[in-house]
Coordinates of all heavy atoms in Angstrom, one line a residue:
M118 N -26.3 -0.5 7.4 CA -24.9 -0.6 7.0 C -24.2 0.7 7.3 O -24.8 1.8 7.1 CB -24.8 -0.9 5.5 CG -25.3 -2.3 5.1 SD -25.2 -2.6 3.3 CE -23.5 -2.5 3.0
V119 N -23.0 0.6 7.8 CA -22.3 1.9 8.2 C -21.0 2.0 7.3 O -20.2 1.1 7.2 CB -21.8 1.8 9.6 CG1 -21.0 3.0 10.0 CG2 -23.0 1.7 10.5
H120 N -20.9 3.2 6.7 CA -19.7 3.5 5.8 C -19.0 4.7 6.4 O -19.6 5.8 6.5 CB -20.2 3.8 4.4 CG -20.6 2.5 3.6 ND1 -19.8 2.0 2.6 CD2 -21.6 1.6 3.8 CE1 -20.4 0.9 2.1 NE2 -21.4 0.6 2.9
P121 N -17.7 4.5 6.7 CA -17.0 5.7 7.2 C -16.4 6.6 6.2 O -16.1 6.2 5.1 CB -15.8 5.0 8.0 CG -15.6 3.7 7.3 CD -16.9 3.3 6.7
V122 N -16.3 7.9 6.5 CA -15.5 8.8 5.7 C -14.5 9.5 6.7 O -14.8 9.5 7.9 CB -16.4 9.9 5.0 CG1 -17.3 9.3 4.0 CG2 -17.2 10.7 6.1
L123 N -13.4 10.0 6.2 CA -12.4 10.5 7.1 C -12.5 12.0 7.3 O -12.7 12.7 6.3 CB -11.0 10.1 6.6 CG -9.9 10.2 7.7 CD1 -8.9 9.1 7.5 CD2 -9.2 11.5 7.5
A124 N -12.4 12.5 8.5 CA -12.4 13.9 8.8 C -11.2 14.3 9.7 O -10.8 13.4 10.5 CB -13.7 14.4 9.4
E125 N -10.7 15.5 9.6 CA -9.6 15.9 10.5 C -10.2 16.0 11.9 O -11.3 16.4 12.1 CB -9.1 17.2 10.0 CG -7.7 17.6 10.7 CD -7.8 19.0 11.3 OE1 -8.4 19.9 10.6 OE2 -7.2 19.1 12.3
Q126 N -9.4 15.6 12.9 CA -9.9 15.4 14.3 C -10.4 16.7 14.8 O -11.5 16.8 15.5 CB -8.8 14.8 15.2 CG -9.3 14.5 16.6 CD -8.4 13.6 17.3 OE1 -7.2 13.9 17.4 NE2 -8.9 12.5 18.0
A127 N -9.6 17.8 14.7 CA -10.1 19.1 15.2 C -11.4 19.6 14.6 O -12.3 20.1 15.2 CB -9.0 20.2 15.0
D128 N -11.5 19.3 13.3 CA -12.7 19.6 12.5 C -13.9 18.8 13.0 O -15.0 19.3 13.2 CB -12.5 19.4 11.0 CG -13.5 20.0 10.1 OD1 -14.2 20.9 10.6 OD2 -13.6 19.7 8.9
L129 N -13.6 17.5 13.3 CA -14.7 16.6 13.8 C -15.1 17.0 15.2 O -16.4 17.0 15.5 CB -14.1 15.2 13.8 CG -15.0 14.1 14.3 CD1 -16.3 14.0 13.5 CD2 -14.3 12.7 14.4
R130 N -14.2 17.4 16.1 CA -14.6 17.8 17.4 C -15.4 19.1 17.4 O -16.4 19.3 18.1 CB -13.4 18.0 18.3 CG -12.7 16.7 18.7 CD -11.4 16.9 19.5 NE -10.9 15.7 20.0 CZ -9.7 15.5 20.6 NH1 -8.9 16.6 20.7 NH2 -9.3 14.3 21.0
A131 N -15.1 20.0 16.5 CA -15.9 21.3 16.4 C -17.3 21.0 15.9 O -18.2 21.6 16.3 CB -15.2 22.2 15.4
A132 N -17.4 20.0 14.9 CA -18.7 19.7 14.4 C -19.5 18.9 15.5 O -20.7 19.1 15.6 CB -18.5 18.8 13.1
L133 N -18.9 18.1 16.3 CA -19.6 17.4 17.3 C -20.1 18.4 18.3 O -21.3 18.3 18.8 CB -18.7 16.5 18.1 CG -18.4 15.1 17.4 CD1 -17.2 14.4 18.0 CD2 -19.7 14.2 17.4
A134 N -19.4 19.5 18.6 CA -19.8 20.5 19.5 C -21.0 21.3 19.0 O -21.9 21.7 19.7 CB -18.7 21.5 19.8
R135 N -21.1 21.4 17.6 CA -22.2 22.1 17.0 C -23.5 21.2 16.9 O -24.6 21.7 17.2 CB -21.9 22.5 15.6 CG -20.9 23.7 15.5 CD -21.1 24.4 14.2 NE -21.0 23.6 13.0 CZ -19.8 23.2 12.4 NH1 -18.7 23.6 12.9 NH2 -19.8 22.4 11.4
F136 N -23.3 20.0 16.6 CA -24.5 19.1 16.2 C -24.9 18.2 17.3 O -26.1 17.7 17.3 CB -24.2 18.3 14.9 CG -24.0 19.2 13.7 CD1 -22.8 19.5 13.2 CD2 -25.2 19.7 13.1 CE1 -22.7 20.3 12.0 CE2 -25.1 20.5 12.0 CZ -23.8 20.8 11.4
V137 N -24.0 17.8 18.2 CA -24.3 16.8 19.2 C -24.5 17.5 20.5 O -23.5 17.8 21.2 CB -23.2 15.7 19.3 CG1 -23.6 14.7 20.3 CG2 -22.9 15.0 17.9
R138 N -25.7 17.7 20.9 CA -26.1 18.4 22.1 C -26.2 17.4 23.2 O -26.3 16.2 23.0 CB -27.4 19.1 22.0 CG -27.5 20.1 20.8 CD -26.7 21.3 21.2 NE -27.1 21.9 22.4 CZ -26.5 22.9 23.1 NH1 -25.4 23.4 22.5 NH2 -27.0 23.4 24.2
S139 N -26.1 17.9 24.5 CA -26.2 17.0 25.6 C -27.6 16.8 26.1 O -27.8 16.1 27.1 CB -25.3 17.6 26.8 OG -24.0 17.7 26.4
D140 N -28.6 17.5 25.5 CA -29.9 17.5 26.0 C -30.5 16.1 26.3 O -31.0 15.8 27.3 CB -30.9 18.2 25.1 CG -30.3 19.6 24.7 OD1 -29.2 19.7 24.3 OD2 -31.0 20.6 24.9
G141 N -30.4 15.2 25.2 CA -30.9 13.9 25.4 C -30.2 13.1 26.5 O -30.9 12.4 27.3
E142 N -28.9 13.2 26.5 CA -28.1 12.4 27.5 C -28.5 13.0 28.9 O -28.6 12.2 29.9 CB -26.6 12.6 27.2 CG -25.8 11.6 28.0 CD -24.3 11.7 27.5 OE1 -24.0 12.3 26.5 OE2 -23.5 11.0 28.2
L143 N -28.6 14.3 29.0 CA -29.0 14.9 30.3 C -30.3 14.4 30.8 O -30.6 14.1 32.0 CB -29.0 16.4 30.2 CG -27.6 17.0 30.2 CD1 -27.6 18.5 29.8 CD2 -26.9 16.9 31.5
S144 N -31.3 14.3 29.9 CA -32.6 13.8 30.2 C -32.6 12.3 30.7 O -33.2 12.0 31.7 CB -33.5 13.9 29.0 OG -33.7 15.2 28.6
D145 N -31.7 11.5 30.1 CA -31.6 10.1 30.5 C -31.0 10.1 31.9 O -31.4 9.3 32.8 CB -30.7 9.3 29.5 CG -31.3 9.2 28.2 OD1 -32.5 9.4 28.1 OD2 -30.6 8.9 27.2
L146 N -29.9 10.9 32.1 CA -29.3 11.0 33.5 C -30.3 11.4 34.5 O -30.2 11.0 35.7 CB -28.1 11.8 33.4 CG -26.9 11.3 32.7 CD1 -25.8 12.3 32.5 CD2 -26.3 10.0 33.4
T147 N -31.1 12.4 34.2 CA -32.1 12.9 35.1 C -33.0 11.8 35.6 O -33.3 11.6 36.8 CB -33.0 14.0 34.4 OG1 -32.1 15.1 34.1 CG2 -34.0 14.5 35.4
T148 N -33.5 10.9 34.6 CA -34.3 9.8 34.9 C -33.6 8.8 35.9 O -34.2 8.4 36.9 CB -34.7 9.1 33.7 OG1 -35.4 10.0 32.8 CG2 -35.7 7.9 34.0
A149 N -32.3 8.6 35.6 CA -31.5 7.7 36.4 C -31.4 8.2 37.8 O -31.4 7.5 38.8 CB -30.1 7.5 35.8
I150 N -31.1 9.5 38.0 CA -31.0 10.1 39.3 C -32.3 10.0 40.1 O -32.3 9.7 41.3 CB -30.5 11.6 39.2 CG1 -29.2 11.7 38.5 CG2 -30.4 12.3 40.6 CD1 -28.8 13.1 38.1
V151 N -33.4 10.3 39.4 CA -34.7 10.2 40.1 C -35.0 8.8 40.5 O -35.5 8.6 41.7 CB -35.8 10.7 39.1 CG1 -37.2 10.4 39.7 CG2 -35.7 12.2 38.9
D152 N -34.6 7.8 39.7 CA -34.8 6.4 40.1 C -34.0 6.0 41.3 O -34.4 5.3 42.1 CB -34.5 5.5 38.9 CG -35.5 5.6 37.7 OD1 -36.6 6.2 38.0 OD2 -35.1 5.2 36.6
E153 N -32.8 6.6 41.3 CA -31.9 6.3 42.5 C -32.4 6.9 43.8 O -32.4 6.3 44.8 CB -30.5 6.7 42.2 CG -29.7 5.8 41.3 CD -28.2 6.1 41.3 OE1 -27.8 7.0 42.0 OE2 -27.4 5.5 40.5
S154 N -32.8 8.2 43.6 CA -33.2 8.9 44.9 C -34.5 8.5 45.3 O -34.8 8.6 46.5 CB -33.1 10.4 44.6 OG -34.0 10.8 43.6
G155 N -35.4 8.0 44.4 CA -36.8 7.6 44.8 C -37.5 8.8 45.3 O -37.4 9.9 44.9
A156 N -38.3 8.5 46.3 CA -39.2 9.6 46.9 C -38.4 10.5 47.8 O -38.9 11.6 48.2 CB -40.3 9.0 47.6
D157 N -37.2 10.0 48.3 CA -36.4 10.8 49.2 C -35.6 11.9 48.5 O -34.7 11.6 47.8 CB -35.5 9.9 50.0 CG -34.7 10.7 51.1 OD1 -35.0 11.9 51.3 OD2 -33.9 10.0 51.7
A158 N -36.0 13.2 48.6 CA -35.3 14.2 47.9 C -33.9 14.4 48.4 O -33.1 15.0 47.7 CB -36.1 15.6 48.1
G159 N -33.6 13.9 49.6 CA -32.2 14.1 50.2 C -31.3 13.0 49.9 O -30.2 13.0 50.2
A160 N -31.9 11.9 49.3 CA -31.1 10.7 49.1 C -29.9 10.9 48.2 O -28.8 10.5 48.4 CB -31.9 9.6 48.6
A161 N -30.2 11.6 47.1 CA -29.1 11.9 46.1 C -28.0 12.7 46.7 O -26.8 12.5 46.4 CB -29.7 12.6 44.9
S162 N -28.4 13.7 47.6 CA -27.4 14.5 48.3 C -26.5 13.6 49.1 O -25.3 13.8 49.2 CB -28.1 15.5 49.2 OG -27.1 16.2 49.9
M163 N -27.1 12.6 49.8 CA -26.3 11.7 50.7 C -25.4 10.9 49.8 O -24.2 10.7 50.2 CB -27.3 10.8 51.5 CG -26.6 10.0 52.6 SD -25.8 11.0 53.9 CE -27.4 11.6 54.6

Side-chain angles (χ1 to χ4, degrees):
M118 295 177 63
V119 175
H120 283 249
V122 296
L123 197 142
E125 193 230 322
Q126 190 167 44
D128 196 16
L129 179 60
R130 285 176 175 171
L133 281 168
R135 285 203 310 273
F136 293 103
V137 181
R138 302 287 305 173
S139 299
D140 307 56
E142 195 173 352
L143 285 168
S144 297
D145 294 341
L146 287 171
T147 298
T148 304
I150 298 169
V151 171
D152 290 343
E153 280 194 5
S154 60
D157 182 6
S162 174
M163 188 66 69

